[in-house]
Every structure is written in structure tokens, then in C-alpha cells.
Amino acid sequence: MTASTAGASLLTADSPAATPLAVRTRGLTRRFGTQTAVDAVDLEVPRGAVYGFLGPNGCGKTTTIRMLLGLLAADAGEIELLGRPMPADLGSVLPRVGALIEGPAFHLYLSGWDNLRRLDSCDRTADPKTSRDRIGEALARVGLTAASSKRYRQYSLGMKQRLGLAAALLQPRDLLVLDEPTNGLDPQGTREVRHLVRELASDGTTVLVSSHLLAEIEQVATHVGIMSAGVLLRQGTLKEVLSEGTEIVRITTPDVELVTLCLQRLGLADVRLALDDEVTARLGDVPVEDVVREVVHADARVRGFVTARPDLEDLFVALTGEGFDVAR
Amino acid sequence: MSLADATWTGPLAVRPTFRGAFSRLYLSEMRLTLRRRRNVALLGVLAVVPVFIGIAVKISTPHNGDGPDFIGQVSNNGLFLVFTALTVALPLFLPLVIGVVSGDSIAGEAGGGTLRYLLTVPVTRGRLLAVKTLGVASYTAIGVLIVTGVGLVLGGILFGLHDVILLSGDTVSLGNGLLRTLLVAAYVTVALFGLAAGGVFVSTLTENAIAAMATTIGLAVFSALLDAVPQLRRIHGVLLTHNWLGFGELLRGQVDRAALLRWSALHLAYAAVFLSLAWARLTTKDVTS
Ligand SMILES: Nc1ncnc2c1ncn2[C@@H]1O[C@H](COP(=O)(O)OP(=O)(O)O)[C@@H](O)[C@H]1O
Ligand SMILES: [Mg+2]
């Protein structure tokens, strides 16, 4: 496992003026006792992006998000949200940020509507005259209109999650920070959230969405950051990050030794015997046709020849040497 | 709709704040507190105190001498039901009720997770402390007013309201007596601010609301305990609960204003110290719930 970040080379954001960043951290670090939950993270979320913040449970996503929003103090590092230092400018920045942090939380004995009214009354930048309309719109947007007068206590997990999203949408936002927004949602709800995220993004809202579910993110994200054990391993546009995982060639053959020699001669990396009759290797810069020619010239018998680009999951496993389980 | 475009390039456009935002926040806080059944039930408990005493006095043959100072007077003048009820409620029921609401104030939000959403609205931590403190103080005042109001009404119904014979033996008009009653309620409220602020402080220390409530009530109990140890007479004067019953001073012909001011100042000093501690704690607190 390599801990070096390729992020710097992927982004041209060293001068924020060139690529305005909605979220930017430098060396963000947080320790709990002896454990470094977030380790020198340089997060860069460009304006207008849907940034998938990925990593297994316990890798430090929520801790990072709590620091972004001024809930948790950083041990080291700097944070800029919407171009302003945090938590110094919290009062003027956060009205423009909607957030869902580690699941929804509301007063059990109040209805969905009254819970939203409570939050809206607390926002000094919210116009009391439009409060009613905005609450109604937010509830409609997440499909909770019919359940708005039910007590929160009686909400299902999915309804709670939706109410959390509605709270984040009470005001127009420049940035939405959504920590595992699809937790507890059924497939239909998950689809709706994805749709909502797309819709918001097309309005120009930047979305930072964390998840431990890769498939979900791959469909909406324009950018991804991959975190493991507190370290941000990779970040960039989805395409950039994926292209980093180089193409793999997979050859099915009874003559595995011969093929292995060919691939090694061509200088392919990671030449491995994947199965009894299958050799894999990373293609790197070698053109596919060269590989085919080499193998044919060597007179090896080939039953199958496949090249594949790794998806996010393959990349993640390659980066962290682990599946999407709890890391620690 | 274009949210970001209008605001982005150059420095962030600061969204204007609305006038009356703090009163809106305060009203929301009071609505939250008073819509909670538990908190209403606690006010009900306070209302029961004068009712219970009133009925007990009504059905028993009056005999002077034992019980609180005022109880013997109740059957002669309903106004004394107020003072008796406050005397009974002060050592136990009022601290209990205030302990619950103040202990819950911030710890309850933290434990339920709503604190993180309040803080990201954002309600800045200073405003949060201010509104929680005001809310608890208001609830304290409501509690005292309920004991006073129910005592007054019930006392009037059961025993009638008459000119008042003061502790010093002088007699004053009913109007004067009512004015003194109002001042008594005000004094008791201020006296309880110390404990209420203590509860808010304790509430910033934990996410466990029950623990915060118990600790706050414990503060009052502990102070009363120290107050009962004669060997500690030297510190009795500055104990949190020592002067709570000092409202009797208002029922003398010659009111010792200096003493009342001194005691009130002490209670407000307690409140100031607790609130400073709460501020120091809350503004540096990691919100991990
Ligand atoms: N309040 C806390 N005290 C101690 N350790 C914590 C605390 N919050 C989080 N951690 C630890 O920090 C690590 C990162 O947690 P978290 O940010 O919640 O991960 P994620 O959101 O990626 O699942 C975990 O190992 C977790 O146990
Ligand atoms: Mg998390």
C-alpha cells in the first residue's frame, strides 16, 4: 500500500483563482488519543463538482466533514470553504452550506414540519416571511409532503434520511455536504437521492458526498477522493483517477510459462498467474497489438485475450489492499 | 435558478441577516421547551404544591407554631398560601424542575444529535449559549410564577385576601401586600438563576442529559447539605442555596434592602461564573455526537 498522494499532480488548483475551489484543506489533521483519524489531508473540491468522498467505514470521512463545518477542531492544517477560512468565518459561510452529517437528527416529539421550522427559525439569514413556502418546497423535493405532520418518532429510517436532506435544502445553497446520504434508503430512495444530487449540481451547487458504497458514487460523481485509514490516497476527476489504474491484459492459455516470458520480455508490470490457465499483467504504455504479436510469434496457444480497465472498486482494492470493510 | 454563479467570483457574498432574528430564535426555543410534555408536567407538579397545601390547611384545624413560618397565617389570609408554597417548593420541587430543564438544555441537543445541526445552521456557539440561558431563565420565571399565581388564586378562593400582618407585626394594605408578593416572586426567580446557570454549565460538559440533570439537582442538594452543617457556618453565607428563603425579608415593616441586594448580587455572581465557564467550555467543545 502506498501512502503517497497523486492528488497534487492531478489538480491545477495551487492557485485558487484559476480553479475556484468550494472546499480546500491543507494538511488537515485530527488525532483521537494516539490514533490519527485524519492525516494531513489536502482536500480539493472544485466549484460545481459532485465530489465523491470515498472510503471504508472508519477511514475518517465524517471526522473530516465535522472539521470542515466547524464542529470539530483540527489539530493541524487549514480549511477554506467557499473561499473563506473556517472556522473563522463560520457565521457567514455556513448559511450557504447545507449539511447532512452522520445521519439525520431531529426532535422526536415534533413533526417533520415543526422540526424544519425549528431549524429555519434558528437561521438568522432565513426570511421569516418565506419560511412556510421554503419548508413546503424542501419537503416536496424529498417526497415527504404527505408525512410532514407526522411525528419524527414515527418516521421510518428512509423518511428520517429524507427529512435530513430537506433540512439541507431549506435555503439555496452554494455547497452541500452530504455524509452518507443514502444510508437506510431503499433502492428507489437511493435513486431519488442520486437524481436530486444531479439536479442540484446542474443548478450550480457544489456537492461533496461521502459514501462507503462505490457503485452509488460512480454514477453521479464528477470528481472522487479516495481515503483510507485517515489518508487521502487519490483525488481528481473521476476519469483521471480511473485512468491511473492502468489497463490490465488477461490471457487464457495452456502455455502459461511461455506467455509469462513474452509479457516479461515486453516489460509489462505485475505479470501474474491468475488462474491455472490465465496470466494477467498491467499493460502500461505497451500497445495491445504488440502484446498480441509477441504472443503469436512465440507460438503460444491462446484461448482468450481480454483487456480491461479497472472500475473504482478494483482501483480501491489496488490502492488499499483491502475491500470495503471496516479498516480499523 | 443559479445559486452559485451569482455569488462566486470574488469574495463570498454574505447573506444578509434579518432583523428580529434573535427573538425568532428565542421564541423557537420557548416553543420547543413548552411543547415538550415532560416540561409541562413539571410545571404541573409546581402547580400542585400550593393546591396541596391549600387543601391540607382547609381541612385541618389550624394550629400555630409548627411547619413553615407562614403556614399558620394561611387560614387567615390567602396571600400567605403563596409564601408557604414557595417555602415548600424552594428546597425540593423548584430545584428539581430547574435541574431537569437546565441540565437538558445543551446536553439534550448533544445527545439527540440536534446540536450538530443547530451549529451548522449556523447558530454560533455564543448565540446558542445566550438563547439556551434565556430559555432556562424564562422557564424558571414561569415556574416561580405558577407557584405564585396558583397560590394567590387558590388562597383567595379558599381563605380570601385581606390586609397583611407582616412578620414584624405591622399591618399593610392588601395592595401593598400584593406588591410585596410580586417582589417575592422576582427575588425567588433571581435567586434560582444561580442554579439554572449551573445547570446550563453542567449541560455543556456531557452528552448525557440525565447525568446533567442529576448533577444539577445534586448541586442544590450538596449546597443544602453544607448549609446544614453547623461547623461550616463561616461559608454558609455564600452557599448557592443559603439565601433562597431570604424573601421573608420582604415581609417586614423595615425591609433590609441592602441585604436583599447583597443576596441577589451573590446569586447573579453565581450565574455569571457558571455562564463564563459554560462559554469557555462550549466555544471549545468538540461536537462528536
Ligand atoms: N469522538 C471520537 N473519539 C474517538 N475516536 C473517534 C471519534 N470519532 C471518530 N473516531 C475514530 O476516528 C476514525 C474515523 O472515524 P469516522 O470519521 O467516523 O469514519 P468514517 O466516517 O469514514 O466512517 C474511526 O477509527 C473512529 O473510531
Ligand atoms: Mg461516517
Side-chain angles (χ1 to χ4, degrees), chain A residues 12 15 27 107 123 127 134 136 144 147 154 190 196 216 234 252 264 268 281 290 303 323:
Chain A
T12 53
S15 59
H107 295 283
D123 186 350
D127 185 352
R134 284 181 293 106
L144 270 185
Q154 297 159 357
T190 307
L196 193 63
E216 255 167 36
R234 291 287 188 280
T252 316
Q264 280 168 345
L268 269 63
D290 288 6
R303 292 179 187 149

Side-chain angles (χ1 to χ4, degrees), chain A residues 261-317:
Chain A
L261 273 176
C262 289
L263 297 182
Q264 280 168 345
R265 203 154 48 223
L266 285 168
L268 269 63
D270 259 357
V271 182
R272 274 191 301 173
L273 192 60
L275 296 170
D276 279 351
D277 60 348
E278 186 175 294
V279 182
T280 64
R282 282 207 271 163
L283 210 44
D285 297 330
V286 182
V288 184
E289 53 270 28
D290 288 6
V291 179
V292 176
R293 182 166 0 109
E294 188 74 21
V295 173
V296 171
H297 276 181
D299 230 5
R301 292 166 295 169
V302 175
R303 292 179 187 149
F305 187 100
V306 178
T307 62
R309 224 174 239 304
D311 59 14
L312 213 43
E313 181 138 17
D314 295 332
L315 179 65
F316 190 87
V317 174

Side-chain angles (χ1 to χ4, degrees), chain B residues 4-29:
Chain B
D5 292 352
T7 59
W8 199 272
T9 37
L12 175 88
V14 175
R15 204 171 265 166
T17 59
F18 282 82
R19 241 190 302 153
F22 191 81
S23 34
R24 209 171 159 230
L25 178 61
Y26 170 72
L27 288 178
S28 162
E29 183 65 28

Side-chain angles (χ1 to χ4, degrees), chain A residues 57-58 61-63 102 179-180 210:
Chain A
N57 288 324
K61 303 182 296 293
T62 301
T63 304
E102 205 159 53
D179 190 13
E180 314 248 5
S210 88

Side-chain angles (χ1 to χ4, degrees), chain A residues 30 47 66 96 103 114 172, chain B residues 5 13 15 35 117 286-287:
Chain A
R30 171 71 200 210
R47 166 196 177 186
R66 280 180 189 276
R96 302 189 160 273
D114 286 343
Chain B
D5 292 352
R15 204 171 265 166
R35 279 193 56 178
Y117 287 109
D286 277 337
V287 179

Side-chain angles (χ1 to χ4, degrees), chain A residues 3-80:
Chain A
S4 70
T5 303
S9 63
L10 293 174
L11 285 154
T12 53
D14 276 324
S15 59
T19 318
L21 294 173
V23 180
R24 177 176 190 262
T25 71
R26 279 287 170 271
L28 190 63
T29 300
R30 171 71 200 210
R31 285 178 282 272
F32 291 113
T34 56
Q35 178 194 6
T36 305
V38 175
D39 193 355
V41 165
D42 297 347
L43 210 58
E44 294 183 334
V45 180
R47 166 196 177 186
V50 177
Y51 185 104
F53 190 24
L54 298 170
N57 288 324
C59 74
K61 303 182 296 293
T62 301
T63 304
T64 305
I65 286 172
R66 280 180 189 276
M67 286 191 283
L68 294 182
L69 298 173
L71 294 172
L72 211 58
D75 288 321
E78 291 159 27
I79 303 170
E80 264 180 29

Side-chain angles (χ1 to χ4, degrees), chain B residues 81-103:
Chain B
L81 185 55
V82 174
F83 310 133
T84 310
L86 282 174
T87 307
V88 170
L90 265 169
L92 181 64
F93 294 104
L94 278 166
L96 196 85
V97 169
I98 290 165
V100 167
V101 173
S102 64

Side-chain angles (χ1 to χ4, degrees), chain B residues 7-89:
Chain B
T7 59
W8 199 272
T9 37
L12 175 88
V14 175
R15 204 171 265 166
T17 59
F18 282 82
R19 241 190 302 153
F22 191 81
S23 34
R24 209 171 159 230
L25 178 61
Y26 170 72
L27 288 178
S28 162
E29 183 65 28
M30 290 316 291
R31 206 177 312 131
L32 194 70
T33 305
L34 295 176
R35 279 193 56 178
R36 188 145 187 196
R37 243 180 276 167
R38 181 199 66 198
N39 297 346
V40 175
L42 287 171
L43 292 178
V45 168
L46 290 179
V48 164
V49 172
V51 172
F52 192 76
I53 297 169
I55 293 173
V57 169
K58 189 77 185 172
I59 61 177
S60 68
T61 40
H63 54 93
N64 296 344
D66 49 340
D69 285 333
F70 309 111
I71 201 160
Q73 298 249 40
V74 172
S75 53
N76 302 327
N77 190 346
L79 205 52
F80 278 86
L81 185 55
V82 174
F83 310 133
T84 310
L86 282 174
T87 307
V88 170

